[in-house]
Amino acid sequence: MSVEEWNRKAWNLEVERGNRWTVPVDTAAVAAAREGQWSVVLTPSKPVPANWFPDLRGCRVLGLAASGGQQAPILAAAGALVTVLDNSDKQLQQDRMVAERDGLKIDLKLGDMRDLGRFDDESFDLVFHPASNTYIPDVNPVWREAFRVLKPGGTLLSGFCNPLLWIFDDAKAEKEGQLEVRHPIPYSDLKHLTEAEIADLKERGLPLCFGHTLEDLIGGQLEAGFTIHGFYEDRSHEHPIDKFLDTMIATRAQKPNPEH
């Protein structure tokens, strides 16, 4: 089974379990967004600064691995022309439910965040990519594809994990609350867990995770051609290391416009 297939099944199951990132926004939030009162997140808790966004009225937005009925409906209600591409069909159903309930138009696509071949060059003004690239082995294709599909002057907003999150023994942290360094970075469940631990993930229906280097997460954006104009940190409050430092990062990057 490929990583893509494994994680599609896992995130479909997360929808059934009611994972916080699969719970759609309510009608009140959509109505407020239509009136200009809205916020969305790239990381667990901090709202994305309003000045990170272009004018959303008529803005062509790609929600990249961003389904779940949360960010896309808000951006659509605020005036954007939103397309969402995600690996989980049940997560996409959450967006479809909100769109049908609240009279929104959202174009939904099932696919891998690393392959945007269905979209033409310079198709979007904004790529909104909340923390989700921890579910793919290599993040660099995401940056290259985002750069390709953005118009000159377009914006990439992305969230991702601080690599330090992946160096600890998660089982020990979960059971005993102890932080024991165990893994190298870059990290891969498939390479650094035992066969028994991988089998346990499969039995529990949990996704495969990967910890990328800052060189790939930030340097990869620069290598793809972006310039970075914004940065902040956040924390999930779901891991013992969160007591000591922020474990999440958000960046605002821009595709240069030769005409400016």
Side-chain angles (χ1 to χ4, degrees), residues 38-43 45-50 53 232 234:
W38 59 273
S39 66
V40 289
V41 296
L42 289 163
T43 55
S45 58
K46 285 186 182 179
V48 182
F53 291 91
Y232 64 84
D234 194 8

Side-chain angles (χ1 to χ4, degrees), residues 73 75 169:
L75 297 174
D169 186 328

Side-chain angles (χ1 to χ4, degrees), residues 4 8 23 37 39 45 51-52 55 86 90 97 105 112 124 128 143 158-159 169 190 194 205 217 220 227 234 246 253:
E4 181 183 0
R8 177 178 297 127
V23 179
Q37 303 299 316
S39 66
S45 58
N51 63 5
W52 278 25
D55 184 351
D86 200 275
K90 288 196 174 182
M97 183 276 292
K105 185 177 180 181
D112 189 323
F124 297 98
F128 189 88
W143 307 139
S158 56
D169 186 328
L190 292 174
T194 65
L217 290 167
T227 56
D234 194 8
D246 290 329

Side-chain angles (χ1 to χ4, degrees), residues 46-173:
K46 285 186 182 179
V48 182
N51 63 5
W52 278 25
F53 291 91
D55 184 351
L56 289 182
R57 292 170 296 182
C59 180
R60 294 185 58 84
V61 175
L62 173 63
L64 185 55
S67 62
Q70 297 183 0
Q71 299 100 348
I74 295 299
L75 297 174
L81 306 174
V82 180
T83 298
V84 179
L85 181 139
D86 200 275
N87 185 42
S88 165
D89 47 299
K90 288 196 174 182
Q91 277 281 73
L92 288 167
Q93 287 175 12
Q94 303 298 74
D95 285 302
R96 181 176 293 109
M97 183 276 292
V98 178
E100 293 175 352
R101 182 193 69 196
D102 296 325
L104 299 169
K105 185 177 180 181
I106 304 174
D107 190 13
L108 303 174
K109 305 291 187 183
L110 180 68
D112 189 323
M113 72 182 85
R114 296 167 292 183
D115 180 7
L116 304 184
R118 70 186 70 194
F119 303 121
D120 292 336
D121 294 356
E122 302 180 6
S123 297
F124 297 98
D125 303 293
L126 172 67
V127 172
F128 189 88
H129 178 50
S132 53
N133 58 44
T134 190
Y135 303 111
I136 54 173
D138 182 6
V139 70
N140 286 290
V142 175
W143 307 139
R144 291 193 294 266
E145 281 288 87
F147 189 88
R148 181 184 64 79
V149 302
L150 276 170
K151 297 176 182 178
T155 300
L156 166 67
L157 303 183
S158 56
F160 42 86
C161 297
N162 185 322
L164 286 176
L165 184 65
W166 301 104
I167 69 174
F168 299 102
D169 186 328
D170 271 359
K172 180 164 288 190

